Amino acid sequence: MVNQIKSPLAESPVIEEDSQKIVKIRHTCAHILAMAVQNLFPETKVAIGPWTETGFYYDFDRPTPFTPEDLEKIAAEMGRIIGKNLPIIREVLERSEIAAEIERLNQPYKKLILERIPPDETITRYFIGSPDAGRSDREPSLIDGAVSPPEEFWWDLCAGPHLNSTGEINPDAFALESVAGAYWQGDEKQPQLQRIYGTAWQTPAELQNYLQQKEEAQRRDHRKLGQQLKLFSIQEDAGGGLVFWHPRGATMRYLIEDYWRQAHLEAGYQFLYTPHLANLDLWKTSGHWDFYRDNMFEAIELEQQSYQIKPMNCPFHVLTYQNDLHSYREFPLRWAELGTVYRYERSGVLHGLMRVRGFTQDDAHIFCLPEQIAAEILGVLNLTEKILSDFGFTNYEVNLSTRPSKSVGSDSVWELATAALIEALNAKKWDYIEDQGGGAFYGPKIDIKIQDAIGRMWQCSTIQVDFNLPERFDMQYVARDGTRERPIMIHRAIFGSLERFFGILIENYAGDFPLWLAPIQVRLLPVSDEQHHYALEVAVQLKQAGYRVEIDKSGERLGKQIRTGELEKIPVLAVIGKREVSSKTLSVRTRQGGDLGSMTLADLLEKMQTAILSKTNL
């Protein structure tokens, strides 16, 4: 059963107003942060400071690193500025005027920002204080942190939006969080700046909830748990951004893939395997070379030809389709592949399993007739619901993105595809948020975000109708009347990528995986060597029943064995002592149920089978 999560922007006008206010609060906090920094450290040059999903940041060019003590001083200065309730005023000016002031004040990053603004775009700046402050004895100055009696004065080149005054921010509802390095424009060839991160909310209670969630998220960090539970590693010696699956993690990956394949077979899919690279011309035909080149690795030269390692699977599926001339009678064709792709990501944005350079997509493409679109989309939604629910995700936010201003395909085919997506969503009785103009240039799409155990939303599943590739590759099928027509092509992924989904799973369960998914389901703990033979007998029977079991061979005392099993989050620990050997029983402890007492192996197998079928724990 799906529990719908609605975006605040999809709710009533009151909620929408609150959403806009939090944006203004966070954007204004970014300006106040920069003002506070320059009040305290006037030599600092400023770069850029936007609002974010949970707060704000600002990038600074300062030769001396910011310290934790500096952050405390900056936060105090921000509180003082907020307490002054200074007005915030928007002003429109001529490009030449603002350029002269930026040049005079030697603010190189603001100069670069100004140069990127299109010539026909209105240029605005926002003042904290009054634009007239200090005009009697000096000209307005750009973000120089100066104080002009009788009123403080600061401004930034910005498009907004902002609050009307600093006093609209609750001084107990913001916090500075950390300092990190950040290259200008995200390019490691550019200067490295210092980025101060902060968070801001409307009320202190919201701030405390966020900080508690952040603390819980740190406890669940998949990078830390991945090492602790011996699931995977990222080997920098291999170049970074590449995942090494260790035995326990590889076991879980096998389980996930096996489940995925079985679910797709039941849903009428066929499987493909395609190469890892192809002639560069393929990527030029598909359009990836023109539109996606910055995210592709360098081509490989071989026998006077250029080969490109694949960033996507879809062109390979198209080539497979074109190997034969298909008839309308064959449709729909549902082809799925766990295809590993490689994309160039800058080292500064790599993040555990969430942002990598090599990953496996649970990719599928459906080729169908126009009148089959709605039914096929509904089938994808049903399969998505089944798979995500079985992995423990039942709270979703659904987004429908429609035709953007720049797109390919006729009006009629866009209208047909969009209506089919809506028809499928209505058939599911799912609420959705419509993002007008937010679709891909090649077709409308549905995106599904899942909510994890601590309330965070993760983008995973996507369903996209594509009018571009069938046109580029001149895809055809034989229609009922014998003419050649273009098939409808639907892209879809449910996990998104195995690596990222695995990271989400780790954090959702905090490493306490349900019994069916745990890499080691049962660990037998013999109290001494005398019980080892019985432990072997039990292990054989568990393995024959299909369970993943191991015997603790550390020779440690029982208390240490139990503690190790708990730290490694083994779902079932079975103690075997003299009493258990003589009675042919096991003393069972579980992660979720605690001490279950003594039971026979048959009883344990029955309980585990029930948990496996329901995809829960004992």
Side-chain angles (χ1 to χ4, degrees), residues 7 56 101 107 152 156 213 450 492 550 584 586 610:
S7 166
F56 58 93
E101 291 194 34
Q107 289 288 344
E152 293 193 64
D156 199 356
Q213 186 189 65
I450 57 176
R492 52 112 290 204
E550 67 178 26
K584 297 297 181 182
L586 301 165
T610 300

Side-chain angles (χ1 to χ4, degrees), residues 328 368-376 416 477 480 488:
Y328 73 93
C368 64
L369 304 174
E371 60 268 26
Q372 295 173 330
I373 299 176
E376 288 307 303
L416 175 68
Y477 69 91
R480 286 182 176 87
I488 297 295

